[in-house]
């Protein structure tokens, strides 16, 4: 009699354990089908004085390159990663191009075993960013400076080389004209004197 009661009690306990355990185990199966983030470097919420060379994401399941996408943006929504992602087991890393100091957002999308994409993001802060470039020097003026000072108001403009040559040519012409006239006067006077002497 006691053995029968023990068997019945043991069977009832097993049924109770199964009834309690099955609902606990069933939700775990769909959850395992979804991939999720297990960790990152830098960690979510980290504050860094020195920028890392790469950003690494670690997942629970091995991500597929065909369905994985990682983007990094910095202050002002400026892209901070332009290189291709590399895969190593359950790890995905992308090159990091730091910019200004401030908060950076790493957004990711990975595929899951059940075909549904999983999206998420992490944030970290750079306390010292890359200094801004020095402004370029102002372009030099293309207009040449005048070689001579501008003429003062009321003064006549200086004569150029052509005008100087013209003045010189005019003076020489008057000199020759006066010389020819004087020669003609001398010749005329000589002829008159010779005629008077012949008449005597």
């Amino acid at each position: 009699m006691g053995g029968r009661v023990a068997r019945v009690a043991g069977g009832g306990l097993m049924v109770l354990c199964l009834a309690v355990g099955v609902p606990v185990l069933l939700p775990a199966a769909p959850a395992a089908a979804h991939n999720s983030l297990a960790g990152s470097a830098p960690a979510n919420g980290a504050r860094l004085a020195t920028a890392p060379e790469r950003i690494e994401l670690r997942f629970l399941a091995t991500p597929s390159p065909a369905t994985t996408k990682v983007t990094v943006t910095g202050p002002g929504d400026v892209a901070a990663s332009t290189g291709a992602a590399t895969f190593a087991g359950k790890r995905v890393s992308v090159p990091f191009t730091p910019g200004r100091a401030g908060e950076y957002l790493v957004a990711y999308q990975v595929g899951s075993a059940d075909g549904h994409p999983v999206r998420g993001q992490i944030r970290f802060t750079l306390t010292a960013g890359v200094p801004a470039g020095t402004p370029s020097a102002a372009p030099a003026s293309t207009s040449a400076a005048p070689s001579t000072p501008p003429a003062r108001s009321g003064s006549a403009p200086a004569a150029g080389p052509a005008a100087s040559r013209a003045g010189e040519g005019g003076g020489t012409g008057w000199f020759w004209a006066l010389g020819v006239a004087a020669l003609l006067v001398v010749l005329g006077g000589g002829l008159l004197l010779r005629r008077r002497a012949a008449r005597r």
Side-chain angles (χ1 to χ4, degrees), residues 40-167:
S40 65
N44 188 29
R47 295 181 63 85
L48 309 175
T50 303
E53 294 183 358
R54 303 185 69 84
I55 296 174
E56 182 180 271
L57 303 176
R58 299 184 296 273
F59 296 93
L60 293 178
T62 302
S64 170
T67 57
T68 302
K69 182 180 179 181
V70 180
T71 59
V72 186
T73 53
D77 201 26
V78 177
S81 178
T82 56
T86 57
F87 295 80
K90 299 178 181 180
R91 301 171 184 262
V92 181
S93 62
V94 292
F96 179 56
T97 305
R100 294 182 300 169
E103 186 178 67
Y104 286 77
L105 172 67
V106 182
Y108 62 86
Q109 175 180 312
V110 293
S112 300
D114 59 359
H116 291 86
V118 175
R119 299 179 180 88
Q121 62 186 26
I122 66 168
R123 298 174 184 267
F124 66 92
T125 301
L126 278 185
T127 58
V130 175
T134 56
S136 58
S141 175
T142 57
S143 60
S147 58
T148 58
R152 289 177 295 180
S153 177
S155 61
S164 299
R165 287 194 299 269

